[in-house]
């Protein structure tokens, strides 16, 4: 691989070693991601495709492509593609079968979101526990009047999904003096919790019945879609706080609204919703004990730094071994 800091224009005389697709995330320009890669891989040609035409032309001879998503139509032009490094932790939006059929390895950004989403979850639970929204409302009214709050210590926090994000949440919970329960697809893998449950109904309902704070940090799969439904809300104690940083459809929205209306749970912090974006007329906007953020927990100014670390390590491994197998965060071998 040869050093070249070429920018975004299409240059057929110099094919890139790594191509960055044009779509960025969190309002951050994708060129900043490319620059992070160049800093870590000074002997590697990294280019950004800033138009659909540039993507089609540059991908023709490029072995490694990275980006937020991958349009299946690009495969028609990607004759030399060996690796797609997805810049998201989730890969359900990718044409995985088509990539696998072309023997293209796929990696994801698992671990990139651990610190920032974990901080968002901890902050959400503490804000609802100490009822900061009540204090903010009284401050706006310049009203000095005490109000009752709750205490986090001694409660039970159940985290659904013990991947990189779920584990980061559990590790940061350790000093708060809470009991930590985990629910994951493979409970035998354990985790930084006191007890781990599987996804079978008996296990899930046992964990929910003991829960004060329910944190959803799992991928959206057929197993988790609608996991928190009417039966789940009936099982949760009325004092439970729900925090969802997974995907909106993990929760049955109608069941959530019904639970809030009947005081079936104490409150909710929703960074994701179903539907998303949440329509202006939706009743979830109107509840005082529901805090809504616009799928923002994943934002961090260090996103591209952490992502570039993972991709650069994999590029180095490929250069040293000549193999596209056994890469960090590999989804498709």
């Amino acid at each position: 691989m040869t050093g070249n800091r070429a920018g975004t224009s299409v240059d057929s005389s110099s094919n890139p070693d790594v191509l960055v697709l044009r779509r960025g995330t969190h309002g951050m320009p994708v060129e900043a991601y490319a620059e992070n890669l160049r800093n870590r891989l000074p002997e590697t040609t990294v280019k950004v495709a800033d138009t659909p035409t540039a993507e089609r032309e540059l991908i023709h001879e490029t072995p490694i492509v990275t980006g937020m998503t991958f349009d299946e139509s690009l495969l028609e032009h990607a004759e030399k593609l060996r690796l797609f490094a997805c810049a998201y932790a989730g890969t359900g939006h990718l044409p995985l079968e088509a990539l696998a059929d072309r023997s293209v390895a796929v990696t994801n950004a698992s671990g990139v979101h651990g610190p920032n989403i974990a901080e968002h979850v901890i902050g959400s639970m503490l804000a609802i526990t100490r009822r900061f929204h009540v204090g903010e409302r009284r401050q706006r009214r310049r009203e000095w009047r005490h109000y009752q709050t709750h205490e986090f210590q001694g409660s039970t926090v159940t985290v659904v999904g013990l991947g990189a994000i779920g584990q980061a949440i559990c590790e940061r919970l350790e000093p708060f003096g809470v009991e930590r329960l985990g629910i994951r697809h493979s409970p035998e893998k354990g985790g930084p919790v006191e007890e781990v449950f599987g996804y079978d109904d008996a296990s899930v309902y046992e964990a929910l019945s003991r829960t004060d704070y329910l944190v959803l940090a799992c991928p959206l799969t057929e197993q988790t879609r609608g996991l928190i439904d009417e039966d789940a809300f009936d099982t949760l104690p009325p004092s439970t706080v729900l925090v969802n940083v997974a995907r909106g459809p993990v929760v049955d929205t109608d069941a959530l609204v019904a639970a809030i209306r009947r005081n079936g749970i104490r409150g909710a912090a929703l960074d994701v919703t179903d539907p998303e974006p949440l329509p202006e007329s939706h009743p979830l906007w109107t509840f005082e004990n529901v805090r809504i953020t616009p799928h923002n927990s994943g934002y961090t100014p260090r996103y591209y730094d952490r992502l570039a670390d993972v991709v650069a390590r994999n590029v180095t491994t490929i250069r040293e071994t000549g193999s596209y197998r056994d890469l960090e965060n590999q989804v498709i071998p």
Side-chain angles (χ1 to χ4, degrees):
M1 297 184 179
T2 56
N4 189 320
R5 297 172 67 83
T8 61
S9 61
V10 178
D11 180 4
S12 59
S13 66
S14 177
N15 296 312
D17 301 307
V18 178
L19 175 64
V20 180
L21 301 182
R22 69 187 189 276
R23 179 179 176 181
T25 190
H26 298 306
M28 299 182 291
V30 74
E31 177 61 34
Y33 173 33
E35 192 63 21
N36 271 284
L37 286 171
R38 295 183 188 117
N39 290 338
R40 289 158 175 77
L41 299 165
E43 302 302 317
T44 301
T45 304
V46 179
K47 289 188 178 181
V48 175
D50 56 358
T51 69
T53 299
E55 286 183 344
R56 289 191 296 270
E57 294 188 12
L58 287 171
I59 203 173
H60 186 72
E61 300 287 329
T62 304
I64 299 173
V65 174
T66 182
M68 308 298 156
T69 188
F70 191 95
D71 190 325
E72 189 171 351
S73 65
L74 279 177
L75 277 174
E76 300 174 12
H77 307 274
E79 293 189 4
K80 300 284 183 70
L81 182 63
R82 298 293 306 281
L83 169 66
F84 178 66
C86 182
Y88 289 139
T91 56
H93 63 293
L94 299 179
L96 294 178
E97 289 187 10
L99 289 164
D101 288 343
R102 292 283 297 271
S103 299
V104 177
V106 176
T107 59
N108 66 15
S110 178
V112 170
H113 283 118
N116 42 310
I117 293 184
E119 290 175 1
H120 182 98
V121 169
I122 298 294
S124 296
M125 290 190 291
L126 292 177
I128 292 177
T129 299
R130 303 308 298 174
R131 300 183 71 201
F132 288 152
H133 60 285
V134 177
E136 290 167 0
R137 185 176 68 246
R138 295 188 182 185
Q139 179 180 347
R140 288 194 299 270
R141 296 174 178 174
R142 302 183 185 186
E143 179 183 359
W144 187 276
R145 185 161 59 90
H146 292 175
Y147 56 92
Q148 292 184 333
T149 65
H150 304 276
E151 188 169 308
F152 192 47
Q153 180 175 283
S155 46
T156 297
V157 181
T158 298
V159 178
V160 181
L162 291 179
I165 292 171
Q167 290 190 44
I169 293 166
C170 293
E171 288 165 359
R172 284 159 178 78
L173 283 171
E174 197 275 333
F176 284 94
V178 298
E179 180 186 28
R180 298 164 300 174
L181 307 180
I183 298 176
R184 68 182 308 172
H185 177 72
S186 303
E188 66 275 6
K189 291 182 178 179
V193 294
E194 281 68 61
E195 198 170 348
V196 184
F197 299 83
Y199 277 116
D200 59 282
D201 286 349
S203 294
V204 168
Y205 289 132
E206 180 184 347
L208 295 183
S209 69
R210 295 165 53 185
T211 297
D212 298 303
Y213 295 83
L214 177 62
V215 179
L216 305 179
C218 53
L220 179 62
T221 66
E222 288 307 307
Q223 194 172 43
T224 62
R225 184 180 296 273
L227 179 70
I228 309 304
D229 57 9
E230 183 178 358
D231 287 339
F233 282 113
D234 285 342
T235 304
L236 289 166
S239 59
T240 300
V241 171
L242 170 69
V243 180
N244 191 3
V245 291
R247 289 292 184 269
V250 175
V251 177
D252 181 322
T253 301
D254 291 341
L256 170 61
V257 171
I260 294 169
R261 282 177 168 158
R262 69 170 187 270
N263 293 320
I265 61 173
R266 175 155 45 108
L270 308 175
D271 189 54
V272 291
T273 59
D274 181 25
E276 187 174 308
L278 193 65
E280 291 183 16
S281 59
H282 201 281
L284 281 174
W285 289 114
T286 66
F287 298 115
E288 186 182 77
N289 57 342
V290 175
R291 321 309 298 162
I292 296 173
T293 49
H295 209 140
N296 206 61
S297 65
Y299 173 77
T300 168
R302 296 191 59 194
Y303 185 93
Y304 286 149
D305 289 339
R306 295 188 188 121
L307 178 60
D309 284 340
V310 174
V311 176
R313 286 195 292 267
N314 281 335
V315 171
T316 300
T317 296
I318 292 166
R319 181 189 294 124
E320 292 175 349
T321 67
S323 173
Y324 287 82
R325 298 181 66 87
D326 300 320
L327 301 175
E328 184 175 347
N329 289 353
Q330 190 150 1
V331 178
I332 295 179

